[in-house]
Amino acid sequence: MTDILSLFFSIPLSHTPFSIVVNKHKPWIETSYHGVITENMDIVLLDPPLVALDKDAPVPYAGEICAFKIHGLEAPFEAVVLNGTSGEGQLRARGPVDCELQKEYTFIIQAHDCGAGPGGTGGKKSHKAVVHIQVNDVNEFSPVFREAQYHAAVTEEKIYDNILQVEATDQDCSPQYSQICNYQITTSNTPFAIDRNGNIRNTEKLSFDKQQQYEVLVTAFDCGQKRSTESVAVHIDVKPVCKPGWQGWNKRVDYEPGTGSKQLFPKMHLETCGGPLSSVRTMVELQTSHIGKGCDRETYSEKSLQKLCGASSGSTDLLPAPSVSTNWTASLVTDSGRDSDLIFRFDGRHAAKIPDQMVPQNLTDQFTIATWMKHGPTPGLRAEKETLLCNSDKTEMNRHHYSLYVHNCRLVFLLRRDFTQVDTFRPAEFHWKLEQICDKEWHYYVINVEFPVVTLYVDGVTYDPYLVTDDWPIHPSQIDVQLTLGACWQGGEVTMPRFTQYFRGSLSGLTIRPGKIESQKVISCLQACKEGLDINSLESLGKGIKFHFNPAQSILVMEGEDLENMNAALRKVSYINSRQFPTPGIRHLHISTSVQCFGEDTCISIPDIDAVVMVLQPSEPRITIAGVDRLTRPAADLRGPAGLTLFQDLHIISTVTKGDTASHHTGTGLVKTSDTLPVEEIIHNLDYCDILVLGEELRPEQESLQLQRSTLLGKHLDTTNSTSGMSIYGVDSMSNYEQVIRQVHYHNWHPTQTPDRKFRLTCSELNGRYTSNEFTLEISVLHKSEAGEHVNQMVAPPQYMQVVHHPAMVHSLYPTHGSVPSAATVVIVICIAALVVVVVLGIYRIHLTHQQECRSSDTTKEGELDWNDSALNITVNPMEVRGRGGLKTKPWRRNKGRKEGECCRNQILEQP
């Protein structure tokens, strides 16, 4: 029985003939699950964990979990059993999960037990549980802007809260990584800011004149602080606010010397912002007070300018450049300023006495006083007179015969006549009250005296005195007078003679011309500016345009009713400088405009504008004097009536070096090479040439420099002559200077008593601004030796020998033109002369008369006097004819085929 029972129980229940139910419970799981999976991962974290329970446990199979089944529409997950006994399972992704494709999943899951046996038959499944899976995002995408670039426009002078908004997006799925949390401007030093929402604003007022467009780079950050890979460009245009005013003009205009008239505002127009205007008035002012004496004028000497302008001769320059002959200005303070202007500054401590021989002695009822003056008010000293020019008693008394002075910014001219001229109460003091006297600017003052009428010209404009006071004439006396500059001399009625009433200011070109008064035409020429404003094509000005220039053409006023015509007229305004070598530097321009509107109390305001004209540096000329620098002449040439022509072969040229390395002058034969700059010959005037005697001064009793006055006819030239040399001055062409200098003669009545002479020639343009080289000419005198004078004329070879020029010998033997023969040549000549001395003695008296005739003819022919013995070919025929009496000779023969004047120089001895 026991065995039977054991056998029964050893048979599985499923095979028992008795229906015994072993798997009577189904698995149990939670009703719902919530899971999280990070994208690109495969494990799902479930809450609660995936665990299935079975009450059949611990019955094998029936109490074990064999599987979890998922029911859903292609859910990309699978559930695996980790431990069948405990029922623990795990949910996994079958492939990569992308949050950007699907953020959440929902499906059904069931647990299955192992059934009644190994085959799983009779297995049971749990109820259905709902599983919700959320895919966690990974910040794998960077923000990207919606636009490739952004554009916006703003008006200047405004602050904007929002100019424009930039926007970026992120492809990440989660709010944390897909949202943009910040924007940032990466461009530095920009007047813009951006907020978290991408709104851009300006942090300061923008200016169209300062910058017309901005480019700003912006980047974005998502909430995970991931930055956009590329920044976006934001272009912001600044538009000008419609402000009335001139537009389209340049602040600087460059002026090239020698280019004539140049437009200043070729594109300028007036913006009125649509406001109707009834008239426009514009004033253009060229400010040149800092240039020279108020503007760019010719800087020639006062004498040269007077000659150029046709002024009357006979003026005395009281403020010349210091020199040996004009040494009274040496103690004064000079201010060369610009462009070689000779300016004297008086500081209230310096004055000068004019030498008596320079004082005009013949002042009559007509004379002229002219000067340049720059003067300003003197604080604390307004009650003191400031004397420019004073003629007072030298000793004993303190009478002022005539003077010119400033007192309380009034110009006063004093003229006291004496009883020999007039014996009645007559006008004596003439007062003018003008703003120019104390405005610290340069002005040209001319006082024309036609007693009793005195007229003042200031910058070419006439002014009558506002006050004239009368006085008695001065009693005649034997007291000498003293003419002074910069103060008045008080020689009497004081313990110690001294200067008083010092002048404080600057003077230039102070002159007195007795016996004549200057015309207004000459006065205007002397003070004329060489630069100013101009209008191109006056005939093309629009209708209704009125314009007016001041005398100096530094101020132009234009008026018109039509705006377009006014714009066209202003575009024609130009700057012109007629000087060949203008003063370089800045000229300021100031433009002011006023408008009137139709029937309105208030009208638009046009702001003033300021610009500059930059006059560029002119090419500086190089003045070169060339010619024969040594002359050797017999003494008779210097004694002759015509004298010796010093500079017969003189040439004066001027060249400029072009700084442009790309220049290529084929027309003048000048080609730029890599090593040299091109040189170009130019034509301009000269204002003086000085011939200076080097060494001992000329002896008036035996030598002088002479120039015929007829040579100066038709030219703007004059001369001064002294024992130290000759000065030729006046503004004229280089060719005229050449012609005159070639006619300068040197006379010496006793050349045997005078050593060899040297003369130095220099020329100038613009009163020494440009000077030439120092050309030195040496004069050598050939003296006859005693033997030669008593034997024959061959002792003096320059006059009686044939001269044949050999260029090769000139360069090899005597590089310098006009050099004397070498010592060996002289010895040979003397030896030959000694051999024929007996022959020559026999014919000396026969030919003496003929030779003197030839010499006189030779001295009158200046062009044939140049002695150049740099190369000599001497042919001497001793005329030896042997006979009983020894040597026979033939007379000198004149070659009839030669020019007159060569009869003595170009003879040879002929054999019979």
Side-chain angles (χ1 to χ4, degrees):
M1 186 66 169
T2 304
D3 296 333
I4 294 173
L5 289 174
S6 299
L7 180 62
F8 174 79
F9 284 107
S10 64
I11 298 172
L13 294 177
S14 58
H15 298 291
T16 59
F18 307 99
S19 75
I20 300 174
V21 180
V22 179
N23 188 12
K24 58 182 180 179
H25 297 96
K26 61 182 180 180
W28 176 90
I29 57 176
E30 300 287 346
T31 59
S32 64
Y33 292 90
H34 294 276
V36 175
I37 184 173
T38 301
E39 62 178 345
N40 300 325
M41 304 293 287
D42 58 352
I43 303 300
V44 179
L45 299 179
L46 289 177
D47 183 26
L50 182 59
V51 176
L53 300 178
D54 196 325
K55 292 182 178 181
D56 293 321
V59 177
Y61 299 105
E64 295 177 356
I65 303 300
C66 282
F68 293 96
K69 297 287 183 71
I70 292 176
H71 306 277
L73 298 175
E74 299 181 357
F77 297 97
E78 62 180 1
V80 296
V81 178
L82 297 180
N83 191 331
T85 303
S86 62
E88 182 180 359
Q90 187 179 58
L91 192 61
R92 297 178 181 176
R94 293 198 303 268
V97 179
D98 193 346
C99 178
E100 286 72 35
L101 296 179
Q102 189 169 342
K103 297 180 181 180
E104 294 181 349
Y105 294 90
T106 302
F107 51 88
I108 302 298
I109 191 171
Q110 284 182 307
H112 293 254
D113 60 17
C114 296
T121 57
K124 294 183 179 295
K125 53 185 180 182
S126 67
H127 59 273
K128 295 180 179 179
V130 179
V131 180
H132 298 280
I133 303 296
Q134 179 180 349
V135 181
N136 280 350
D137 190 18
V138 174
N139 196 3
E140 56 184 334
F141 291 98
S142 300
V144 177
F145 287 94
R146 291 188 180 274
E147 304 290 340
Q149 56 183 351
Y150 292 84
H151 293 270
V154 296
T155 303
E156 64 174 346
E157 301 299 329
K158 289 182 63 176
I159 295 294
Y160 288 82
D161 293 333
N162 183 16
I163 297 175
L164 80 161
Q165 184 181 23
V166 297
E167 184 179 3
T169 59
D170 196 313
Q171 296 181 9
D172 290 312
C173 64
S174 63
Q176 179 182 4
Y177 299 137
S178 64
Q179 292 184 0
I180 306 301
C181 284
N182 193 21
Y183 292 91
Q184 182 178 335
I185 294 176
T186 59
T187 304
S188 59
N189 299 323
T190 182
F192 298 97
I194 191 169
D195 61 14
R196 298 173 62 88
N197 296 320
N199 297 308
I200 298 177
R201 60 183 177 86
N202 57 320
T203 57
E204 62 184 51
K205 294 181 179 180
L206 306 179
S207 172
F208 177 80
D209 295 331
K210 181 179 179 181
Q211 191 167 342
Q212 301 177 8
Q213 187 184 64
Y214 292 86
E215 183 181 26
V216 179
L217 297 179
V218 177
T219 189
F221 295 87
D222 61 20
C223 294
Q225 294 304 306
K226 193 174 186 65
R227 179 175 177 171
S228 59
T229 56
E230 294 184 359
S231 299
V232 69
V234 180
H235 299 277
I236 301 176
D237 296 325
V238 180
K239 293 183 178 181
V241 64
C242 188
K243 296 184 297 185
W246 292 103
Q247 296 182 4
W249 54 278
N250 295 323
K251 292 185 177 181
R252 168 172 167 163
V253 179
D254 288 341
Y255 181 81
E256 182 74 27
T259 56
S261 180
K262 181 169 184 177
Q263 286 180 270
L264 296 174
F265 317 108
K267 298 181 181 180
M268 190 168 72
H269 66 278
L270 182 61
E271 177 60 60
T272 62
C273 296
L277 303 179
S278 61
S279 66
V280 179
R281 183 180 186 273
T282 300
M283 182 174 69
V284 183
E285 182 180 2
L286 178 67
Q287 299 172 348
T288 60
S289 59
H290 61 292
I291 302 294
K293 294 193 290 285
C295 68
D296 210 1
R297 296 181 169 92
E298 295 293 5
T299 55
Y300 296 115
S301 65
E302 200 64 30
K303 283 187 176 181
S304 298
L305 281 176
Q306 291 173 0
K307 190 79 174 178
L308 184 65
C309 291
S312 303
S313 59
S315 67
T316 301
D317 188 0
L318 300 181
L319 280 176
S323 65
V324 176
S325 59
T326 58
N327 57 1
W328 68 88
T329 58
S331 61
L332 300 179
V333 180
T334 60
D335 181 8
S336 296
R338 300 176 175 85
D339 231 2
S340 302
D341 272 343
L342 184 60
I343 296 172
F344 292 88
R345 288 192 295 109
F346 294 86
D347 54 3
R349 296 189 299 270
H350 294 84
K353 293 181 180 180
I354 307 299
D356 293 339
Q357 67 271 18
M358 298 299 299
V359 177
Q361 301 296 330
N362 56 343
L363 289 185
T364 61
D365 288 344
Q366 285 189 338
F367 61 93
T368 298
I369 299 176
T371 185
W372 286 94
M373 182 178 73
K374 180 180 180 181
H375 180 265
T378 306
L381 299 174
R382 293 179 63 83
E384 183 178 346
K385 296 179 180 179
E386 300 180 51
T387 302
L388 286 74
L389 179 68
C390 182
N391 190 21
S392 59
D393 290 331
K394 186 177 291 186
T395 58
E396 300 182 25
M397 303 183 71
N398 188 29
R399 300 175 301 177
H400 294 184
H401 297 261
Y402 63 87
S403 67
L404 181 63
Y405 61 90
V406 175
H407 189 209
N408 288 338
C409 288
R410 292 165 173 80
L411 186 66
V412 182
F413 177 63
L414 170 68
L415 180 61
R416 299 282 304 278
R417 318 307 296 269
D418 57 44
F419 272 101
T420 61
Q421 297 172 319
V422 65
D423 59 356
T424 59
F425 206 59
R426 299 297 295 271
E429 278 191 345
F430 304 84
H431 299 251
W432 293 271
K433 184 179 180 181
L434 303 173
E435 295 180 356
Q436 294 94 321
I437 297 172
C438 285
D439 65 356
K440 298 182 180 180
E441 301 290 347
W442 280 105
H443 300 285
Y444 188 55
Y445 299 82
V446 178
I447 296 177
N448 272 349
V449 178
E450 286 184 292
F451 195 80
V453 177
V454 177
T455 305
L456 172 68
Y457 291 83
V458 181
D459 298 332
V461 180
T462 59
Y463 296 92
D464 294 325
Y466 80 94
L467 175 65
V468 179
T469 59
D470 297 342
D471 202 348
W472 289 103
I474 293 178
H475 293 282
S477 66
Q478 300 299 320
I479 302 174
D480 293 333
V481 293
Q482 178 65 62
L483 184 61
T484 57
L485 295 171
C488 204
W489 179 253
Q490 188 172 1
E493 302 176 359
V494 291
T495 305
M496 181 68 68
R498 59 186 176 87
F499 285 111
T500 185
Q501 300 175 4
Y502 283 97
F503 177 70
R504 295 171 177 83
S506 298
L507 297 176
S508 179
L510 178 56
T511 61
I512 296 182
R513 178 176 289 102
K516 295 182 180 180
I517 62 172
E518 287 297 358
S519 66
Q520 187 165 6
K521 179 180 179 181
V522 172
I523 294 173
S524 299
C525 175
L526 290 172
Q527 62 89 37
C529 289
K530 294 300 181 180
E531 64 177 342
L533 299 174
D534 193 16
I535 297 179
N536 289 336
S537 183
L538 284 173
E539 63 276 3
S540 64
L541 284 180
K543 296 181 179 180
I545 299 297
K546 301 177 182 179
F547 66 92
H548 171 71
F549 284 102
N550 69 332
Q553 282 193 226
S554 60
I555 298 177
L556 169 63
V557 178
M558 281 188 167
E559 296 183 61
E561 297 179 355
D562 185 80
L563 181 59
E564 290 303 319
N565 287 342
M566 278 294 294
N567 287 335
L570 262 294
R571 295 188 193 108
K572 298 180 183 296
V573 177
S574 60
Y575 169 82
I576 187 171
N577 194 317
S578 60
R579 295 189 66 193
Q580 188 173 7
F581 306 106
T583 302
I586 288 177
R587 276 73 163 165
H588 294 277
L589 284 169
H590 182 77
I591 302 176
S592 57
T593 305
S594 60
V595 298
Q596 291 183 353
C597 299
F598 291 99
E600 296 183 9
D601 296 335
T602 61
C603 196
I604 60 176
S605 176
I606 307 298
D608 296 351
I609 63 175
D610 292 287
V612 296
V613 177
M614 175 61 73
V615 179
L616 304 179
Q617 178 75 38
S619 299
E620 296 192 359
R622 181 180 180 182
I623 306 171
T624 303
I625 302 175
V628 176
D629 58 3
R630 183 170 182 176
L631 296 176
T632 303
R633 290 292 183 268
D637 290 358
L638 279 66
R639 287 194 299 262
L644 176 63
T645 304
L646 295 180
F647 305 100
Q648 185 175 0
D649 295 327
L650 178 77
H651 294 282
I652 304 175
I653 63 171
S654 183
T655 58
V656 293
T657 301
K658 297 298 183 180
D660 185 5
T661 58
S663 297
H664 187 81
H665 301 275
T666 57
T668 59
L670 298 175
V671 180
K672 173 69 178 69
T673 65
S674 59
D675 297 327
T676 61
L677 293 174
V679 177
E680 184 177 288
E681 184 175 350
I682 63 171
I683 302 298
H684 59 77
N685 291 329
L686 300 176
D687 58 352
Y688 70 80
C689 286
D690 289 338
I691 303 173
L692 179 65
V693 179
L694 299 181
E696 182 183 355
E697 291 189 356
L698 299 178
R699 302 172 185 177
E701 68 279 359
Q702 69 179 46
E703 57 182 337
S704 68
L705 292 174
Q706 296 183 9
L707 179 66
Q708 294 183 1
R709 296 296 300 180
S710 60
T711 309
L712 303 177
L713 294 178
K715 302 177 178 66
H716 297 287
L717 298 178
D718 208 341
T719 63
T720 58
N721 200 355
S722 67
T723 58
S724 60
M726 177 181 290
S727 179
I728 304 170
Y729 63 90
V731 182
D732 214 328
S733 64
M734 290 186 291
S735 61
N736 281 348
Y737 266 92
E738 279 185 355
Q739 296 175 18
V740 172
I741 296 173
R742 288 172 182 172
Q743 301 303 317
V744 176
H745 295 264
Y746 171 61
H747 292 260
N748 193 327
W749 297 277
H750 304 286
T752 58
Q753 302 176 9
T754 306
D756 293 349
R757 278 293 183 190
K758 289 185 178 181
F759 299 93
R760 176 178 294 164
L761 174 63
T762 57
C763 294
S764 157
E765 164 67 333
L766 296 176
N767 200 23
R769 178 179 174 186
Y770 305 115
T771 57
S772 70
N773 60 311
E774 294 181 347
F775 178 78
T776 302
L777 173 65
E778 183 177 352
I779 305 297
S780 298
V781 180
L782 289 179
H783 302 284
K784 299 176 183 178
S785 66
E786 293 182 3
E789 289 183 358
H790 292 286
V791 179
N792 60 22
Q793 295 301 315
M794 293 184 64
V795 179
Q799 191 170 356
Y800 302 108
M801 292 186 184
Q802 180 183 12
V803 180
V804 180
H805 295 279
H806 297 281
M809 296 177 64
V810 171
H811 291 286
S812 62
L813 297 178
Y814 304 106
T816 304
H817 293 288
S819 60
V820 298
S822 65
T825 304
V826 175
V827 171
I828 293 174
V829 173
I830 293 175
C831 292
I832 295 174
L835 292 176
V836 299
V837 64
V838 178
V839 178
V840 176
L841 282 175
I843 64 171
Y844 175 74
R845 289 190 178 184
I846 298 175
H847 300 286
L848 180 59
T849 303
H850 174 67
Q851 293 165 353
Q852 290 177 347
E853 178 185 353
C854 293
R855 181 183 307 168
S856 176
S857 173
D858 193 25
T859 57
T860 60
K861 188 69 174 177
E862 295 177 5
E864 302 295 331
L865 286 179
D866 293 343
W867 170 254
N868 188 337
D869 60 346
S870 59
L872 297 178
N873 185 8
I874 303 173
T875 304
V876 178
N877 191 332
M879 300 181 297
E880 293 185 307
V881 179
R882 300 186 180 275
R884 288 193 321 174
L887 296 176
K888 292 184 180 181
T889 63
K890 289 190 67 176
W892 293 79
R893 293 182 181 179
R894 177 174 178 176
N895 190 336
K896 295 182 180 180
R898 302 188 183 276
K899 296 180 181 178
E900 184 179 359
E902 297 181 352
C903 57
C904 299
R905 284 195 297 167
N906 301 327
Q907 292 173 351
I908 61 173
L909 297 178
E910 298 181 355
Q911 193 174 20

